[in-house]
């Protein structure tokens, strides 16, 4: 036995140990060795399960850490920045919010390279060496080939590497190339001119009429509208519509018949019923609008059209389907349902009639 190799002796002892342990477990005998083996087995199982769960979750965590609105591909970043140069896009420049409040100004990208960007700041009147190293937040808009009717807004963070003041007094900044661009949701809304058949009803009430004589949450209490258009009347005509607002023309007869005074910033409640772009159905929308512009004299009694901006939208309670709750309309997002409708109608007119 002493002549046997040590490895064979060790293997025989190990086999004898585990054989004895398993015999104890099968026989129901509790020994220190059997307890240690059971604990080691289940401990290893729990450890492996935990590691598998942790590593399986890491890709998901990385995806959440990088939103889909981020552009991180170097080539794509350079393409978008080159487009900003080509389109002479205005760049809004401000100090990064971490540095506190600061003024903002506008600039234009002149050059884009792998070593940095050249930004012309004609609005700056003075600059000093302390600006070098400062962090800037920059925004610019582009018309992308896949969405030529819309302007997409991109934001990025950069630092001032150096600057130069030209003989003309114009300041040029050499800033670092961004590691990513962020696509923002704010955009210029597509505006469409809907044919009459798509506008079933278009009625307007003054803000005072609804709040003093009725309840904004209950359209049934608003009373007779001040102006009525679409299939229900000829006081007003909807000229165009987007997710952010609309333009309306008031007929001369309505201008002479109504005694209300029209002013910029005046608010109107509106009920708007629109047919689906494919004419298979319709939807009614309740909005609060503010007069942004009078395209003619606001006091005109012969010709007047108004540019209106959506400020709030009335959403029906569900359930019940009676009554409205009002929510503020974000200036950049607009009303999604009307924005989608305008875009779909634009495509429908383009496909079927070629008039868009």
């Amino acid at each position: 036995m002493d002549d046997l190799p040590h490895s064979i002796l060790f293997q025989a002892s190990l086999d004898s140990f585990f054989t004895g342990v398993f015999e104890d477990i099968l026989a129901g005998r509790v020994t220190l060795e059997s307890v240690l083996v059971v604990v080691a087995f289940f401990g290893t199982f729990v450890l492996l399960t935990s590691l598998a769960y942790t590593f399986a979750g890491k890709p998901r965590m990385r995806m959440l850490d990088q939103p889909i609105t981020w552009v991180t591909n170097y080539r794509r970043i350079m393409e978008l920045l080159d487009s900003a140069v080509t389109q002479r896009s205005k760049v809004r420049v401000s100090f990064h919010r971490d540095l506190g409040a600061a003024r903002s100004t506008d600039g234009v990208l002149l050059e884009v390279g792998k070593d940095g960007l050249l930004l012309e700041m004609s609005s700056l009147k003075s600059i000093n060496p302390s600006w070098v190293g400062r962090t800037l937040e920059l925004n610019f808009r582009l018309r992308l080939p896949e969405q030529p009717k819309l302007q997409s807004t991109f934001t990025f963070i950069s630092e001032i590497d150096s600057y130069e003041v030209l003989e003309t007094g114009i300041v040029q900044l050499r800033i670092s190339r961004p590691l990513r661009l962020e696509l923002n949701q704010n955009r210029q809304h597509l505006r469409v001119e809907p044919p009459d058949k798509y506008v079933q009803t278009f009625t307007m009430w003054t803000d005072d009429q609804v709040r003093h004589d009725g309840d904004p949450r209950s359209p049934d209490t608003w009373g007779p509208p001040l102006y009525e258009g679409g299939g229900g009347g000829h006081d007003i005509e909807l000229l165009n519509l987007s997710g952010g607002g609309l333009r309306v023309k008031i007929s001369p007869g309505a201008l002479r018949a109504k005694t209300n005074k029209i002013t910029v910033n005046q608010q109107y409640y509106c009920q708007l019923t629109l047919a689906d772009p494919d004419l298979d159905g319709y939807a009614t929308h309740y909005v609060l609008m503010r007069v942004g512009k009078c395209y003619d004299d606001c006091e005109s009694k012969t010709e007047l059209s108004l540019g209106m901006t959506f400020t709030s939208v009335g959403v029906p309670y569900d359930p019940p389907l009676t009554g409205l709750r009002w929510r503020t309309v974000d200036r950049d997002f607009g009303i999604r349902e009307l924005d989608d409708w305008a875009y779909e109608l634009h495509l429908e007119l383009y496909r079927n009639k070629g008039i868009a």
Side-chain angles (χ1 to χ4, degrees):
M1 178 70 73
D2 294 337
D3 295 334
L4 292 176
H6 291 289
S7 59
I8 296 177
L9 291 174
F10 176 77
Q11 183 66 40
S13 299
L14 191 63
D15 292 342
S16 177
F17 171 78
F18 281 107
T19 299
V21 169
F22 288 128
E23 288 178 352
D24 290 338
I25 294 175
L26 293 176
R29 291 189 296 268
V30 179
T31 63
L32 177 60
E33 291 82 0
S34 62
V35 171
L36 292 176
V37 169
V38 172
V39 170
F41 173 79
F42 284 103
T44 303
F45 175 79
V46 171
L47 176 62
L48 293 177
T49 302
S50 300
L51 291 175
Y53 178 81
T54 300
F55 285 105
K58 281 191 174 181
R60 184 179 301 173
M61 293 170 62
R62 284 196 295 269
M63 290 178 64
L64 292 176
D65 290 341
Q66 182 172 314
I68 60 174
T69 54
W70 286 12
V71 181
T72 57
N73 179 271
Y74 169 78
R75 180 172 297 180
R76 181 58 174 164
I77 290 175
M78 299 303 286
E79 288 177 354
L80 292 172
L81 293 174
D82 282 334
S83 296
V85 174
T86 303
Q87 297 181 24
R88 298 286 295 178
S89 300
K90 181 177 70 174
V91 180
R92 191 68 175 170
V93 184
S94 60
F95 289 110
H96 191 246
R97 51 186 171 270
D98 291 345
L99 298 175
R103 62 172 179 163
S104 298
T105 187
D106 296 327
V108 177
L109 277 178
L110 299 181
E111 297 177 6
V112 174
K114 63 180 181 179
D115 297 328
L117 317 177
L118 183 62
L119 183 67
E120 183 177 275
M121 305 289 292
S122 58
S123 57
L124 283 183
K125 303 303 180 183
S126 62
I127 191 172
N128 59 71
S130 66
W131 284 46
V132 176
R134 299 292 295 271
T135 303
L136 302 177
E137 182 174 299
L138 304 98
N139 299 269
F140 64 94
R141 288 184 171 185
L142 287 180
R143 294 188 183 275
L144 302 177
E146 59 268 26
Q147 291 182 313
K149 296 292 184 177
L150 302 177
Q151 285 189 331
S152 300
T153 303
F154 295 90
T155 300
F156 66 94
I157 303 297
S158 183
E159 292 184 353
I160 301 176
D161 292 334
S162 62
Y163 69 89
E164 180 183 3
V165 181
L166 305 181
E167 294 182 357
T168 57
I170 295 177
V171 176
Q172 291 184 348
L173 303 179
R174 179 68 64 175
I175 62 177
S176 60
R177 179 179 61 83
L179 298 179
R180 72 169 186 264
L181 302 179
E182 298 182 23
L183 175 62
N184 294 338
Q185 293 295 328
N186 55 322
R187 58 178 176 165
Q188 178 177 310
H189 302 282
L190 176 66
R191 191 171 296 273
V192 67
E193 299 178 2
D196 293 341
K197 65 180 180 180
Y198 288 98
V199 184
Q200 296 192 359
T201 61
F202 180 43
T203 49
M204 291 171 53
W205 295 259
T206 65
D207 177 63
D208 290 341
Q209 179 182 357
V210 171
R211 294 186 181 276
H212 292 169
D213 301 334
D215 184 350
R217 296 169 299 180
S218 178
D220 293 338
T221 67
W222 295 358
L226 177 66
Y227 299 119
E228 193 168 4
H234 304 285
D235 295 336
I236 53 177
E237 178 185 0
L238 181 62
L239 299 180
N240 58 51
L241 173 70
S242 75
L246 54 83
R247 181 171 176 177
V248 60
K249 181 179 180 181
I250 305 176
S251 69
L255 289 172
R256 291 190 294 267
K258 309 298 181 180
T259 59
N260 68 296
K261 182 178 178 62
I262 299 175
T263 60
V264 175
N265 291 326
Q266 187 178 25
Q267 295 201 106
Y268 290 88
Y269 283 88
C270 171
Q271 181 191 59
L272 181 61
T273 302
L274 301 172
D276 296 338
D278 56 8
L279 298 176
D280 282 347
Y282 63 90
T284 298
H285 308 271
Y286 296 91
V287 297
L288 180 61
M289 310 178 297
R290 182 182 67 248
V291 178
K293 181 178 182 181
C294 291
Y295 286 92
D296 307 282
D297 182 2
C298 283
E299 298 183 359
S300 173
K301 297 299 182 181
T302 58
E303 185 175 359
L304 178 61
S305 60
L306 306 174
M308 316 285 284
T309 301
F310 298 141
T311 59
S312 298
V313 57
V315 182
Y317 282 105
D318 184 20
L321 294 178
T322 58
L324 301 173
R325 64 180 187 275
W326 290 89
R327 61 175 174 83
T328 302
V329 174
D330 186 278
R331 181 182 61 182
D332 294 326
F333 288 88
I335 300 176
R336 181 183 58 82
E337 294 81 3
L338 292 178
D339 200 37
D340 292 343
W341 182 87
Y343 190 75
E344 291 173 4
L345 179 60
H346 171 80
L347 295 179
E348 184 73 16
L349 296 176
Y350 180 84
R351 285 193 299 263
N352 295 341
K353 299 182 180 181
I355 64 173

